[in-house]
């Protein structure tokens, strides 16, 4: 029995015939190797329109490059990270189950720190030349340098969605929001941290309330955490009982929050996608009385990235998909609220006329702010803040408040 | 059939069923005590437990697990006993049985969605009466879904467990021939329900004890229903364990393992307490029976029993109706009772993906059910030929995979599969499904197989046919209907599996259930409606076939059609 087990174990550890690390600077070889590969893209699967966008990408890369793209729909991005960690723990250094991950912030920092990523490869992608590397935060992820280990594919910025029929004049700062909720208790909530959007709400509130937001850009260990976050906890102590369901229950994700807007359970909600409200109106999910606003001191912005695990089975295919995501064609479709409604990572000045026309033709929708109205995005705090604030929030508000 | 192979089958079957449970438990116990050699951790420590006990939500989450489990089981069992005591043997009872049995095949996740749509403050019930009765233009801010007490979670489990317990009770009733006993007691002046409680219930309970334990353990540890209906601040213990498992830092993995061990201990403790209470109830009950009180027939009690039993079916039926409407809905805001517009757009956009997912779901279900069926028939035939008897402890063995909490051993199993190099998720998922499908298939096939009239075999033997011919040409064809039913049960069980699919499939294997629960995190009701209906249809279709096929095949042999 023991011998059988040992043989089985040996079999598991022995490499399946996976490709050796491809060289991204030799793009023709990458394209050649990618042909016929199946790429398992692990990406959050909770949003129908995002799933449809990924399905469209799959169709296009199959037509143009012979790459089969399978969307592994996660309910939490960390699941994919866990998978890679478990594979590393089990000694599975090749032929891993995850080829491409939609990743951000803490998950990226954790993978980078533990050498779980393949690369650098991003700056060798042919479409990198069109990316707006100066105007947009595409080379740092929550202040952590990406070092070519992850490729950007869309831009996000915090906005608030509100029913213009109910709130004629939208708030302009966090204190305004509190005043508004005091007058209309139970009509506002945010996704429950550690949900990504919920954690973003906490960081946005901290930015807006802090006397000096500068320490947020450095690791939390270097700052006086208690005094920096004191205004946030004071704010939340007052806000929480006034929240939807008195803060005893929270929506579990961004889309669940949109459902609450549609059900008229709440009037106001945070979003990380300037085009989300327009896309939801287009999709019958929200009435067309919804609009968006930003705070006067600015709102947090970041880029969404894709990364390739160190033991990915189809690295070439994954790079081909990442490159396609940066193409003007994919970027223009992603920006169109008919399909997805997210910001582009490309620099319009670097595109030729026909490509730029793709973007000029997009109807951004009634609820989307113009780039000028959105203003300059605030940088994401260092990821260590997110973890610490999240844990603290859970302890104070997330585990039973009578 | 080769006799040597047949002799080995019972052992192999036990291995297929219990092996993964034992391996998984070991795979959870080791990291819980800090033993993870792959990460250079080879010293036994209790750090993980210290971290677990330091988590501020532990007391609350553990309390929830115990409360929800006990409340759901007690309530469901009470309703079932009331319905049987007041109505057994009447035409209304047959009707109730027919309404409740299809609900058994309804996957838990679908029932939970259906209920959520219904009872939310902005749900259908409130919409039907708003604003014309309530005057509400926006929904009231009351905590119904995800309430910290876990009441809606308990309700969801109750309506889903009542059909299961009723069918288990019916099977038990068939074996004890209750009719004459009740008639005799009635002639001595006992009222209907008192006669049932005093004379039938003790014998029935002996038979349904293990299914009751299954309901208890399941309700304490369920994950998919708890994600949809359960509280979130904090969530139930098993949901929190899953959260820890999906954390990128490995430290949380050992907390998850410690949590899984803790959960196992809680379940064991509650089961032990339940078992001890059985003795107390039994001795109190004996005294009550000996007193000889006759009781009086109570019309209101009968109506209450009927309302509770029928009501649980009605709630789910209504939920399925509103699920259907959502799948065709355009914009539908509060307080409209119906969407402003109906559209096929939702189905058009989801149908291609649904078709692929449904195919994969049914393929997995088919493999798991057919393997389980083959093993079950082989075991039963071996039991018959070699005159092996099922002893009481062998029944326990069958129930072990259903009673040991999934969240206690599946994480360990996932790690094991990974170390065995199983990359093709589907095969691993089928293996994991068999663990849960096999007991149900075996249990539903066992009685019809053993009750088959041996005289047919004697006739066969007198015509010169061996045991193989008897099996293939007589026994199996005559048992077609129970065999098909057992297969349908296997399908339904496999289709409804959430955690085994998620953990052993490594996220690559998507079934209708994992897809539906993932969509719940996004909460697009149109998509959930479409997936919920597809889920229900694929679980119910095999049952419909199991009823219709024998009728069609044995059109000329009516005696066979009833199996």
């Amino acid at each position: 029995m023991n011998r059988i087990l040992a043989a089985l174990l040996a079999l598991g550890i022995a490499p399946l015939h996976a490709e050796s690390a491809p060289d991204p600077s030799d793009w023709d070889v990458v394209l050649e190797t990618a042909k016929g590969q199946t790429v398992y893209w692990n990406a959050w699967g909770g949003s129908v329109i995002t799933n449809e966008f990924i399905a469209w990408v799959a169709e296009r890369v199959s037509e143009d490059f012979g790459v089969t793209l399978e969307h592994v729909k996660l309910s939490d991005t960390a699941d994919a990270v866990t998978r890679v960690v478990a594979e590393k723990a089990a000694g599975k250094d090749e032929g891993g189950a995850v080829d491409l991950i939609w990743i951000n912030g803490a998950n990226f920092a954790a993978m980078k720190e533990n050498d779980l990523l393949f690369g650098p490869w991003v700056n060798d992608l042919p479409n990198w030349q069109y990316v707006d590397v100066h105007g947009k935060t595409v080379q740092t992820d929550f202040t952590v340098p990406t070092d070519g280990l992850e490729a950007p594919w869309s831009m996000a910025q915090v906005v608030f969605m509100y029913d213009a029929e109910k709130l004629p004049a939208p708030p302009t700062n966090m204190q305004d929001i509190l005043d508004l909720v005091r007058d209309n208790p139970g009509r506002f909530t945010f996704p429950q941290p550690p949900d990504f959007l919920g954690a973003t709400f906490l960081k946005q509130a901290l930015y807006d309330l802090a006397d000096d937001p500068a320490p947020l850009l450095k690791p939390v260990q270097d700052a006086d955490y208690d005094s920096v976050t004191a205004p946030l906890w004071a704010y939340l102590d007052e806000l929480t009982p006034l929240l939807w369901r008195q803060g005893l229950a929270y929506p579990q994700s961004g889309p669940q929050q949109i459902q609450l807007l549609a059900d008229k359970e709440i009037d106001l909600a945070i979003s990380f996608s300037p085009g989300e409200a327009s896309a939801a109106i287009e999709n019958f999910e929200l009435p067309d009385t919804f609009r968006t606003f930003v705070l006067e001191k600015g709102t947090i912005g970041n880029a969404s990235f894709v990364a390739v695990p160190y033991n990915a089975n189809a690295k070439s295919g994954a790079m081909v998909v990442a490159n396609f995501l940066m193409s003007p064609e994919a970027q223009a479709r992603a920006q169109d609220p008919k399909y997805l409604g997210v910001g582009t990572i490309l620099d319009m000045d670097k595109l030729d006329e026909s490509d730029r026309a793709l973007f000029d033709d997009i109807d951004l929708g009634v609820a989307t702010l113009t780039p000028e109205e959105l203003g300059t995005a605030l940088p994401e705090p260092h990821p260590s803040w997110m973890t610490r604030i999240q844990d603290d929030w859970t302890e104070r508000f997330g585990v039973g408040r009578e | 059939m080769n006799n040597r192979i047949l002799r080995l089958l019972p052992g192999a079957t036990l291995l297929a069923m219990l092996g993964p449970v034992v391996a998984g438990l070991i795979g959870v116990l080791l990291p819980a005590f800090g033993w993870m050699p792959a990460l250079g951790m080879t010293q036994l420590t209790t750090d993980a437990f210290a971290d677990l006990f330091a988590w501020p939500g532990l007391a609350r989450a553990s309390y929830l697990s115990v409360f929800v489990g006990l409340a759901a089981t007690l309530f469901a069992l009470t309703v079932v006993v009331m319905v049987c005591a007041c109505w057994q043997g009447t035409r209304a009872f047959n009707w109730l049985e027919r309404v409740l049995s299809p609900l058994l095949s309804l996957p838990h996740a679908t029932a939970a969605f259906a209920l959520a749509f219904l009872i939310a403050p902005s749900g259908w019930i409130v919409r039907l009466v708003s604003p014309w009765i309530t005057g509400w233009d926006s929904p009231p801010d009351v905590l119904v879904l995800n309430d910290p007490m876990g009441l809606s979670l308990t309700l969801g489990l109750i309506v889903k467990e009542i059909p299961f317990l009723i069918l288990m009770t019916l099977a038990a009733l068939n074996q004890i021939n209750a009719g004459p006993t009740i008639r005799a007691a009635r002639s001595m002046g006992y009222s209907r329900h008192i006669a049932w409680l005093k004379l039938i219930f003790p014998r029935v309970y002996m038979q349904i004890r293990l299914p009751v334990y299954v309901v208890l353990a399941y309700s304490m540890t369920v994950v998919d229903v708890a994600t949809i209906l359960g509280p979130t601040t904090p969530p139930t213990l098993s949901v929190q364990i899953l959260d820890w498992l999906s954390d990128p830092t490995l430290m949380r993995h050992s907390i998850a393992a410690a949590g899984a061990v803790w959960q196992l201990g809680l379940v064991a403790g509650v089961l032990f307490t339940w078992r001890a209470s059985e003795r107390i109830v039994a001795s109190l009950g004996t005294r009550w029976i000996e007193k000889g009180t006759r009781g009086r027939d109570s019309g209101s009690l009968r109506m209450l029993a009927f309302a509770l039993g029928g009501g649980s079916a009605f709630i789910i039926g209504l939920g399925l109706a509103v699920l259907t409407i959502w799948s065709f809905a355009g914009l539908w805001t509060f307080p409209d009772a119906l969407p402003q517009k109906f559209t096929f757009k939702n189905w058009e956009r989801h149908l291609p993906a649904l078709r692929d997912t449904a195919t994969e779901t049914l393929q997995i279900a088919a493999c798991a059910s057919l393997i389980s069926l083959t093993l079950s028939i082989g075991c039963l035939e071996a039991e018959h030929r070699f005159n092996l008897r099922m002893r009481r402890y062998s029944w326990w063995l069958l129930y072990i995979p259903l009673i040991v909490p999934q969240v206690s051993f599946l994480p360990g199993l996932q790690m094991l599969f990974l170390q065995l190099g199983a990359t093709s998720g589907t095969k691993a998922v089928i293996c994991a499904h068999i663990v849960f499908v096999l007991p149900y298939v075996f249990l539903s096939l066992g009685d019809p197989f053993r009750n088959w009239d041996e005289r047919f075999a004697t006739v066969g033997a007198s015509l010169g046919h061996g045991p193989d011919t008897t099996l293939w040409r007589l026994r199996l064809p005559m048992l077609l209907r129970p065999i098909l039913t057992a297969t349908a049960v296997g399908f339904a069980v496999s289709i409804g599996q959430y955690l085994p699919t998620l953990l052993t499939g490594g996220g690559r294997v998507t079934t209708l259930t994992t897809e539906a629960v993932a969509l719940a995190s996004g909460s697009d009701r149109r998509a959930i409606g479409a997936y919920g209906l597809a889920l229900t249809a694929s679980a119910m279709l095999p049952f419909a076939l199991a009823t219709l096929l024998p009728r069609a095949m044995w059109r000329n042999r009516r005696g066979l059609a009833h199996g």
Side-chain angles (χ1 to χ4, degrees):
Chain A
M1 186 64 206
N2 268 336
R3 247 190 313 168
I4 300 173
L5 203 67
L8 279 171
L9 278 169
L11 209 75
I13 291 160
L16 302 166
H17 49 140
E19 60 168 318
S20 52
D23 176 10
S25 60
D26 199 343
W27 193 247
D28 290 335
V29 176
V30 171
L31 283 176
E32 197 48 47
T33 328
K35 208 168 278 170
Q37 283 188 334
T38 300
V39 174
Y40 289 95
W41 184 5
N42 286 237
W44 180 62
S47 151
V48 173
I49 55 170
T50 313
N51 296 351
E52 280 174 348
F53 178 76
I54 293 175
W56 173 80
V57 173
E59 222 169 88
R60 291 291 293 107
V61 293
S62 156
E63 284 165 9
D64 284 11
F65 309 103
V67 172
T68 309
L69 180 64
E70 294 278 351
H71 179 190
V72 178
K73 296 187 184 112
L74 306 175
S75 57
D76 189 336
T77 303
D79 290 348
V81 183
T82 311
R83 180 85 191 168
V84 179
V85 169
E87 284 178 349
K88 183 164 191 176
K92 193 168 180 54
D93 292 332
E94 275 179 79
V98 182
D99 294 309
L100 194 66
I101 312 182
W102 172 7
I103 198 171
N104 270 94
N107 286 313
F108 169 71
M111 289 195 86
K112 186 185 176 196
E113 207 170 294
N114 292 303
D115 294 326
L116 294 172
L117 292 173
F118 164 74
W121 50 279
V122 176
N123 302 9
D124 291 320
L125 297 184
N127 286 331
W128 180 252
Q129 56 176 312
Y130 305 123
V131 175
D132 185 358
V133 289
H134 300 296
K136 295 180 169 121
T137 52
V138 289
Q139 296 190 88
T140 54
D141 186 355
F142 288 50
T143 72
V144 177
T146 60
D147 293 338
L149 296 172
E150 53 173 3
W153 71 281
S154 68
M155 293 305 300
Q157 188 176 337
V158 168
V159 296
F160 290 86
M161 306 179 277
Y162 71 106
D163 189 345
E165 225 169 47
K166 288 223 162 159
L167 311 174
T172 54
N173 58 44
M174 281 289 168
Q175 214 58 53
D176 273 5
I177 290 182
L178 179 60
D179 292 341
L180 184 74
V181 177
R182 215 180 275 126
D183 295 338
N184 308 277
R187 306 296 298 171
F188 174 64
T189 186
F190 49 88
Q192 181 172 350
D195 173 81
F196 175 72
L197 191 55
T200 302
F201 174 79
L202 299 181
K203 287 185 292 182
Q204 181 64 55
L206 182 57
Y207 245 121
D208 214 65
L209 300 163
D211 305 325
D212 171 24
L216 297 179
L217 300 180
K218 290 183 223 115
V220 69
Q221 298 85 332
D222 304 344
D224 181 359
Y225 176 79
D226 288 336
S227 68
V228 174
T229 55
L232 174 69
W233 304 125
Y235 181 84
L236 286 173
D237 281 335
E238 201 172 341
L239 178 73
T240 306
L242 301 168
L243 289 176
W244 177 79
R245 308 287 185 255
Q246 300 85 51
L248 294 170
Y250 290 83
Q252 296 301 299
S253 66
Q256 237 177 61
Q257 207 190 206
I258 292 196
Q259 187 65 61
L260 291 181
L261 289 175
D263 288 341
K264 299 201 182 167
E265 297 227 358
I266 54 174
D267 300 327
L268 178 68
I270 187 172
S271 164
F272 216 139
S273 165
E276 185 166 19
S278 292
I281 292 170
E282 187 83 31
N283 211 18
F284 305 129
E285 284 176 67
L286 285 183
D288 57 11
T289 51
F290 271 82
R291 298 292 181 269
T292 51
F293 69 88
V294 287
L295 305 177
E296 60 189 359
K297 279 203 249 168
T299 52
I300 297 173
N302 72 18
S304 278
F305 295 90
V306 287
V308 181
Y310 82 105
N311 65 349
N313 188 50
K315 296 189 180 88
S316 299
M319 288 192 281
V320 169
V321 173
N323 187 52
F324 176 75
L325 285 171
M326 288 180 178
S327 67
E329 181 194 359
Q331 286 292 312
R333 186 172 175 107
Q335 192 165 35
D336 193 331
K338 269 212 294 293
Y339 303 116
L340 192 55
V342 297
T344 179
I345 53 160
L346 300 187
D347 184 344
M348 291 302 126
D349 294 340
K350 291 181 178 171
L351 300 181
D352 64 32
E353 226 162 281
S354 64
D355 283 339
R356 211 175 314 142
L358 290 176
F359 289 88
D360 292 339
D361 292 346
I362 299 171
D363 174 8
L364 288 179
V366 284
T368 312
L369 301 175
T370 62
E372 295 76 46
E373 288 168 319
L374 273 176
T376 310
L378 302 169
E380 279 280 1
H382 188 271
S384 51
W385 284 90
M386 179 131 140
T387 320
R388 183 91 183 255
I389 292 174
Q390 230 163 251
D391 288 349
D392 261 16
W393 183 88
T394 303
E395 194 150 326
R396 286 166 189 258
F397 302 100
V399 285
R401 206 172 42 81
E402 297 308 322
Chain B
M1 212 184 269
N2 187 324
N3 270 0
R4 251 212 337 251
I5 294 180
L6 205 54
R7 259 188 198 284
L8 291 176
L9 252 181
T13 306
L14 272 186
L15 194 69
M17 210 170 60
L18 298 183
V21 181
V22 174
L25 282 176
I26 295 172
V28 154
L29 273 171
L30 292 180
F33 288 98
W35 205 75
M36 283 193 277
L39 298 172
M41 294 163 70
T42 50
Q43 256 184 342
L44 293 185
T45 69
T46 50
D47 293 355
F49 285 95
D51 291 339
L52 175 70
F53 293 128
W55 178 55
L58 184 70
R60 180 99 204 149
S62 310
Y63 163 76
L64 272 172
S65 166
V66 174
F67 169 78
V68 170
L70 281 176
T73 313
L74 271 174
F75 200 92
L77 185 62
T78 309
V79 171
V80 169
V81 168
M82 277 173 70
V83 167
C84 290
C86 294
W87 292 92
Q88 199 219 326
T90 65
R91 221 172 331 144
F93 188 73
N94 295 341
W95 179 82
L96 208 58
E97 180 193 343
R98 228 169 299 147
V99 181
L100 285 173
S101 8
L103 295 183
L104 188 62
S105 57
L106 193 71
H108 275 85
T110 316
F113 290 132
L115 190 65
F117 285 150
L118 218 53
I119 63 173
S122 56
W124 209 30
I125 294 177
V126 174
R127 283 179 198 222
L128 284 176
V129 293
S130 296
W132 53 287
I133 290 182
T134 58
W136 291 331
D137 287 317
S138 48
D141 184 22
V142 282
L143 190 62
V144 177
L145 283 181
N146 314 113
D147 60 295
M149 289 280 292
L151 295 180
S152 41
L153 169 59
T154 311
L155 179 67
L157 288 166
I158 289 170
V159 293
K160 191 60 189 85
E161 297 308 344
I162 285 177
F164 174 67
L165 284 178
I166 285 221
L167 288 185
M168 288 291 141
T169 309
L170 283 173
L173 282 170
N174 281 339
Q175 298 189 343
I176 57 178
N177 201 11
T181 318
I182 296 272
R183 270 196 298 279
R186 298 274 281 163
S187 72
M188 286 187 256
Y190 282 92
S191 62
R192 176 190 287 275
H193 64 278
I194 299 289
W196 199 92
L197 281 179
K198 289 193 167 177
L199 297 167
I200 309 297
F201 179 68
R203 286 155 75 195
V204 165
Y205 187 76
M206 289 287 283
Q207 307 240 15
I208 61 164
R209 170 185 285 151
L210 286 168
V212 169
Y213 296 171
V214 170
V215 171
L216 185 55
Y218 182 85
S219 306
M220 285 183 72
T221 58
V222 61
V223 170
D224 47 358
V225 182
T227 342
I228 299 158
L229 297 174
T232 60
T233 54
T236 63
L237 186 58
S238 44
V239 173
Q240 183 63 42
I241 291 171
L242 203 63
D243 276 0
W244 281 326
L245 269 180
S246 57
D247 196 281
T249 57
L250 274 174
M251 200 51 229
R252 297 265 156 96
H253 279 237
S254 50
I255 302 189
V261 174
W262 175 250
Q263 174 84 77
L264 182 65
L266 276 183
V267 170
V270 169
L271 281 174
F272 183 79
T273 315
W274 184 281
R275 183 86 180 82
S277 324
E278 278 175 9
R279 286 169 206 269
I280 300 171
V281 171
S283 74
L284 289 177
T286 315
R287 230 177 289 165
W288 178 61
I289 292 170
E290 282 165 358
K291 246 198 261 166
T293 30
R294 261 52 172 174
R296 235 176 303 151
D297 278 331
S298 154
S300 47
L301 186 71
R302 294 191 77 190
M303 286 329 292
L304 178 66
F306 192 81
L308 287 172
S312 70
F314 182 69
I315 288 179
I316 299 202
L318 208 62
L320 281 179
V322 73
L323 221 57
T324 315
I325 299 177
W326 265 112
S327 75
F328 289 103
L331 183 65
W332 186 8
T333 55
F334 192 87
D336 300 341
L338 286 173
Q340 284 167 12
K341 205 178 109 184
F342 285 92
T343 167
F344 283 102
K345 199 180 142 194
N346 308 319
W347 282 98
E348 274 164 28
R349 73 195 297 184
H350 296 302
L351 215 50
L354 259 177
R355 209 172 33 222
D356 295 347
T357 318
T359 313
E360 175 142 33
T361 310
L362 291 174
Q363 276 168 353
I364 292 172
C367 290
S369 321
L370 291 179
I371 294 172
S372 304
L373 187 69
T374 314
L375 289 173
S376 302
I377 292 178
C379 284
L380 288 163
E381 181 69 11
E383 181 187 311
H384 163 68
R385 282 194 205 176
F386 311 124
N387 212 14
L388 311 169
R389 304 284 321 149
M390 277 285 265
R391 294 208 190 80
R392 178 160 289 183
Y393 73 85
S394 359
W395 283 104
W396 274 98
L397 291 180
L398 267 181
Y399 274 94
I400 281 181
L402 310 181
I403 291 178
V404 176
Q406 295 192 350
V407 80
S408 307
F409 70 94
L410 285 170
L413 196 61
Q414 175 194 23
M415 203 67 193
L416 186 83
F417 275 138
L418 217 56
Q419 283 182 333
L420 292 177
T423 45
S424 58
T426 316
K427 279 183 210 145
V429 169
I430 292 172
C431 288
H433 279 204
I434 287 174
V435 175
F436 306 100
V437 172
L438 186 58
Y440 282 107
V441 171
F442 194 95
L443 289 168
S444 73
L445 192 60
D447 285 333
F449 197 95
R450 294 189 191 102
N451 294 341
W452 183 69
D453 195 334
E454 281 296 328
R455 284 173 298 182
F456 290 111
T458 317
V459 175
S462 73
L463 293 172
H465 291 299
D468 281 359
T469 317
T470 307
L471 177 67
W472 293 112
R473 305 274 302 269
L474 286 174
R475 195 192 273 255
L476 294 186
M478 289 180 76
L479 290 176
L480 180 68
R481 194 187 158 125
I483 288 175
L484 287 176
T485 309
T487 318
V489 170
F491 263 82
V493 171
S494 166
I495 288 168
Q497 294 299 322
Y498 172 65
L499 210 50
T501 318
L502 184 74
L503 289 183
T504 52
R508 264 196 199 179
V509 180
T510 50
T511 63
L512 290 171
T513 300
T514 58
E515 199 76 344
V517 178
L519 275 171
S521 78
S523 191
D524 178 340
R525 290 202 192 130
R526 291 162 189 84
I528 295 175
Y531 273 84
L533 286 187
L535 199 54
T536 310
S538 29
M540 293 216 178
L541 197 66
F543 278 99
L545 286 178
T547 320
L548 295 179
L549 262 183
R551 262 189 227 167
M553 286 178 73
W554 304 137
R555 225 180 1 209
N556 307 321
R557 296 176 174 82
R558 221 176 328 145
L560 283 173
H562 299 289

